[in-house]
Amino acid sequence: MIATGLELIDDAELIAAAALLRPDLDPTEVAARAAWSVLVEPGDGVAGALIQSLGATEALRTVFGDLSLTMPGLVPPRAMSEAVARWRPRAQPRAVRDALLSAHSVGARLLLPGDELWPEGLHDLDAHQPVLLWARGMCDALHAESAVAIVGARAATAYGESIAAEIAGDLASTGTLVVSGGAYGIDGAAHRAALGTGGATVAFLAGGVDRAYPIGHQQLFDRIRQAGVVLSEVPCGSAPTKWRFLARNRLIAAASMATVVVEAGWRSGTLNTAGHASALGRPLGAVPGPVTSAASAGCHRLLREFDAVCVTSARDVRELWGERDASNPTPPAPDHDRTRLIDAMSTRSARETADIARRSGLSIERVRSLLGLLALDERVAQRDGGWVRRD
């Protein structure tokens, strides 16, 4: 039976389930957002605009009740009627109740916009941000001060997996949260490396958090839940689809301070994540590979056509968001005067200050100053009334 208005969440068991998942919040608000998660596909801008303007509960009342209550100009009439038509077949209280009960049965929790643990970057998606996130694992990992998306091809090469692991492990070991999609190849290498160094990692899934996809990563997802978190915007039981994979990519890009593509084919879906990062104004990095490797063609395309930054190490990644690596300070600029003075000296024949000045093209005062500094460094020495260069 298709529900209308607040009938969709007017169910005692449903409200009780909402209260179990978020006892700290109004269960009606939690149930309303869970209902929207069931009703819409990821990134639905019409639903997002309604919820932003009216709130989740009032938006339900309006959509399945009196559409005249909608603010004029908020959503074009045709877009609204088309949206209601695609939402109505899913408007069943049982579906919402089952989503909440399924989440509770697997120990999942709900994150809502405005929560302390809600990834701040998702707000940049505006009306296209998730109505909520279904989460399993250690949600406190989302407290990390820095987060980076490391993504790439599923059919990765040994080179790509090695570089992804090296970069992810280095970043995770210093407290950066590694964000990826849980897929085979580069994603898996990044997640494993982060966990291997005792760091934290987040996997955004295209299906429900109760389903391991790919199934071969069941053990990996179990490990992620122990030291990180698995997130999805679709409810438990939802199957991953091509559209949901593409929509999921916007979350990976938005939740991170920068996106790094390690390997990608010319038409790889990973480029979709890079596109979202670019559209959001996030720094974009790409790891170069052999020019003969089809697995790196997409990275080279990003470097050439999308102004991606060449990345070869974790230090390069940190510089994407302006962080400098204190353990590897920027070397001082070369002192060309020193070079000219050294070139003007001999290791065998002592030369007077005036002779060195003439040969180097420097003033006598500058030569005297530099000779004193170089003598402290044991680069030069006085001999027979002049100066010699020391090897």
Side-chain angles (χ1 to χ4, degrees):
M1 176 181 178
I2 296 175
T4 60
L6 295 186
E7 293 177 8
L8 188 60
I9 56 173
D10 186 19
D11 179 280
E13 190 176 4
L14 188 156
I15 294 296
L20 280 174
L21 288 173
R22 288 301 300 265
D24 57 321
L25 296 178
D26 176 6
T28 301
E29 173 68 13
V30 175
R33 285 194 171 268
W36 278 111
S37 180
V38 170
L39 288 172
V40 305
E41 281 296 305
D44 193 313
V46 176
L50 290 169
I51 294 170
Q52 282 186 344
S53 176
L54 305 174
T57 304
E58 191 59 33
L60 279 179
R61 187 198 308 276
T62 301
V63 165
F64 296 110
D66 188 356
L67 286 176
S68 65
L69 298 177
T70 306
M71 295 175 60
L74 180 61
V75 178
R78 181 173 179 179
M80 176 64 80
S81 62
E82 291 176 350
V84 173
R86 64 176 178 262
W87 300 335
R88 194 174 295 280
R90 296 183 178 180
Q92 300 177 6
R94 180 176 179 178
V96 182
R97 182 174 65 250
D98 288 349
L100 290 167
L101 292 174
S102 295
H104 183 259
S105 70
V106 296
R109 61 177 294 185
L110 301 184
L111 298 179
L112 276 59
D115 284 350
E116 182 183 2
L117 294 174
W118 184 263
E120 283 296 317
L122 297 185
H123 291 303
D124 293 340
L125 294 170
D126 197 30
H128 300 283
Q129 76 168 319
V131 296
L132 57 73
L133 289 173
W134 307 80
R136 289 183 73 189
M138 306 295 292
C139 292
D140 286 345
L142 298 170
H143 271 308
E145 293 185 3
S146 57
V148 62
I150 299 180
V151 295
R154 291 189 297 274
T157 67
Y159 161 80
E161 292 194 4
S162 173
I163 296 298
E166 180 181 331
I167 292 175
D170 192 332
L171 291 169
S173 67
T174 54
T176 295
L177 182 65
V178 173
V179 181
S180 200
Y184 290 132
I186 298 302
D187 289 18
H191 288 308
R192 290 189 186 92
L195 295 169
T197 59
T201 185
V202 171
F204 277 98
L205 304 186
V209 294
D210 60 330
R211 303 175 59 144
Y213 188 91
I215 190 63
H217 274 179
Q218 176 68 66
Q219 292 184 345
L220 175 60
F221 292 135
D222 290 342
R223 291 181 59 200
I224 291 174
R225 290 196 296 271
Q226 294 172 11
V229 62
V230 176
L231 300 172
S232 178
E233 62 184 314
V234 296
C236 290
S238 299
T241 63
K242 183 176 181 179
W243 163 251
R244 289 173 180 171
F245 276 112
L246 293 173
R248 177 277 312 268
N249 291 343
R250 83 192 193 286
L251 305 184
I252 294 175
S256 307
M257 297 170 64
T259 293
V260 176
V261 180
V262 178
E263 276 190 328
W266 184 260
R267 297 184 181 278
S268 171
T270 302
L271 302 186
N272 176 257
T273 307
H276 283 298
S278 181
L280 290 166
R282 302 288 196 273
L284 177 62
V287 174
V291 295
T292 55
S293 173
S296 291
C299 291
H300 299 156
R301 183 181 177 189
L302 291 174
L303 292 168
R304 185 176 63 253
E305 299 179 12
F306 295 89
D307 294 325
V309 176
C310 180
V311 167
T312 60
S313 66
R315 179 185 178 186
D316 293 343
V317 177
R318 293 187 184 97
E319 290 180 356
L320 288 177
W321 62 77
E323 180 182 333
R324 293 288 177 178
D325 189 345
S327 65
N328 292 287
T330 302
D335 188 337
H336 299 297
D337 286 357
R338 288 192 179 207
T339 302
R340 288 162 61 184
L341 185 142
I342 292 293
D343 286 346
M345 298 179 69
S346 169
T347 57
R348 291 175 295 181
S349 303
R351 291 174 179 167
E352 296 180 351
T353 302
D355 186 25
I356 296 173
R358 179 181 62 79
R359 290 171 180 269
S360 65
L362 302 172
S363 68
I364 292 178
E365 290 75 14
R366 179 63 173 157
V367 168
R368 285 173 178 161
S369 174
L370 289 174
L371 286 172
L373 293 172
L374 291 170
L376 292 174
D377 292 338
E378 298 185 347
R379 299 281 307 280
V380 300
Q382 284 185 300
R383 182 191 303 167
D384 301 328
W387 294 85
V388 293
R389 186 178 74 232
R390 301 183 67 173
D391 289 333

